[in-house]
Amino acid sequence: MELSQLYLHPLKSCRGIAVGQAEVTLQGLAGDRVWLLVRPDGSQITARTHHRLVQVDAANVSGEQWQFGAPGMPPLLAHCSAFQQPHRAQVWKSEFTALAGDAAADDWFSRYLGEPVRLLWLGQTTRRYKDSELPLSFADGAPFLLISEASLADLNQRLATPVDMRQFRPNLVVNDAYAFEEDEWQYIRIGEVEFEVASRCTRCIFTTIDPQTAVPHPDKQPLATLMAYRRLPEGVCFGVNLIARNSGTLKLGDTVEVLSSSVSFD
């Protein structure tokens, strides 16, 4: 079993970037979900309500300089040094402080979305923690999301129109597993990094938004199909949330080893 795909989402809800390698930190992949759009009161804005966010590109140009792009908009350059003002941030029920300060970036995103918003940077060190111990980026509730290619293939066999892995916004994708085998993993090692499986990932209406067109599926697919056969005690699940036990570098092709599982797949 190998690591077959690797994705970063620098701005929460933005288009995913496929990469060949990435650095693992305890709060997530370096550069993943380090930017967030908020309303003036600090509450998060995501593509669940603002679908056009999935068409925003975000990439690290060099050092602390980032470039953002979106349909019909000129490129935006933002430098982390401009973000010096503490600003309230809220991701679901989690409230913490992030950094604001680039008026040009605020205006760019406000024009794109058609309402006043502010762009926040997580900072060199996150101020957000889960259960007072686990550092988190702007991700929903866990540092990493993993899905197997077999699980997506199983789902696509049930859909009239197959969907792409990007529809589910994972960080890590593995091949050569059984469909939904990841549900039962407890500890795994990918290359030099060991992970704990924290929970199954519950899915929402976000999965119905086409990552290319930003148009929601009229029949709420693939979520409607997942609801028919992937409703587990914690909710409708697809993929698993991970916590890293150490730092390191992940590369495509890294061996994936299951260290502990609640079910034997021999």
Side-chain angles (χ1 to χ4, degrees):
M1 190 160 42
E2 293 181 344
L3 181 65
S4 58
Q5 300 173 52
L6 191 56
Y7 294 98
L8 297 177
H9 302 84
L11 169 68
K12 187 176 181 69
S13 284
C14 79
R15 178 173 288 154
I17 302 171
V19 296
Q21 69 178 54
E23 296 301 313
V24 172
T25 73
L26 295 184
Q27 73 181 32
L29 295 178
D32 185 66
R33 281 130 173 142
V34 295
W35 298 96
L36 174 70
L37 288 172
V38 298
R39 299 175 180 85
D41 67 358
S43 58
Q44 69 174 352
I45 291 176
T46 76
R48 291 168 180 82
T49 55
H50 296 68
H51 306 327
R52 297 181 71 200
L53 278 177
V54 300
Q55 295 180 302
V56 174
D57 293 302
N60 184 236
V61 179
S62 61
E64 294 188 343
Q65 184 165 287
W66 291 74
Q67 179 170 294
F68 299 90
M73 299 292 291
L76 168 69
L77 288 177
H79 198 284
C80 296
S81 62
F83 293 79
Q84 299 289 334
Q85 302 170 9
H87 194 286
R88 176 182 181 271
Q90 181 177 5
V91 176
W92 303 115
K93 295 181 180 180
S94 176
E95 296 186 24
F96 53 100
T97 300
L99 298 172
D102 189 330
D106 296 342
D107 178 68
W108 192 92
F109 278 104
S110 296
R111 285 187 286 119
Y112 180 64
L113 294 179
E115 65 180 270
V117 301
R118 300 202 76 181
L119 179 65
L120 302 187
W121 178 48
L122 188 68
Q124 294 289 1
T125 303
T126 182
R127 296 164 176 80
R128 182 187 180 204
Y129 289 84
K130 184 175 183 178
D131 300 327
S132 302
E133 296 180 357
L134 177 65
L136 283 177
S137 65
F138 292 130
D140 278 354
F144 305 89
L145 172 61
L146 177 147
I147 301 174
S148 73
E149 291 183 0
S151 297
L152 179 63
D154 183 276
L155 170 62
N156 277 334
Q157 289 177 354
R158 305 165 190 264
L159 297 173
T161 302
V163 296
D164 185 83
M165 185 66 79
R166 292 173 187 259
Q167 196 113 352
F168 298 96
R169 309 178 65 77
N171 298 116
L172 316 174
V173 179
V174 300
N175 61 13
D176 296 331
Y178 299 103
F180 304 109
E181 177 183 344
E182 60 267 31
D183 283 358
E184 310 303 332
W185 294 344
Q186 297 169 330
Y187 292 91
I188 63 173
R189 182 184 295 117
I190 305 178
E192 61 187 21
V193 183
E194 185 174 322
F195 296 91
E196 176 184 352
V197 178
S199 64
R200 298 183 181 98
C201 182
T202 56
R203 312 313 300 230
C204 69
I205 199 70
F206 198 167
T207 60
T208 69
I209 301 168
D210 187 298
Q212 296 301 319
T213 65
V215 176
H217 195 283
D219 297 323
K220 295 183 170 57
Q221 296 291 0
L223 183 61
T225 296
L226 286 172
M227 291 176 67
Y229 84 113
R230 286 293 299 167
R231 191 181 293 276
L232 302 177
E234 55 268 56
V236 178
C237 299
F238 193 79
V240 291
N241 297 313
L242 307 180
I243 297 171
R245 311 313 300 180
N246 62 282
S247 59
T249 303
L250 294 182
K251 300 178 182 178
L252 294 182
D254 277 349
T255 298
V256 180
E257 180 184 0
V258 179
L259 304 177
S260 176
S261 173
S262 60
V263 174
S264 173
F265 293 94
D266 295 337

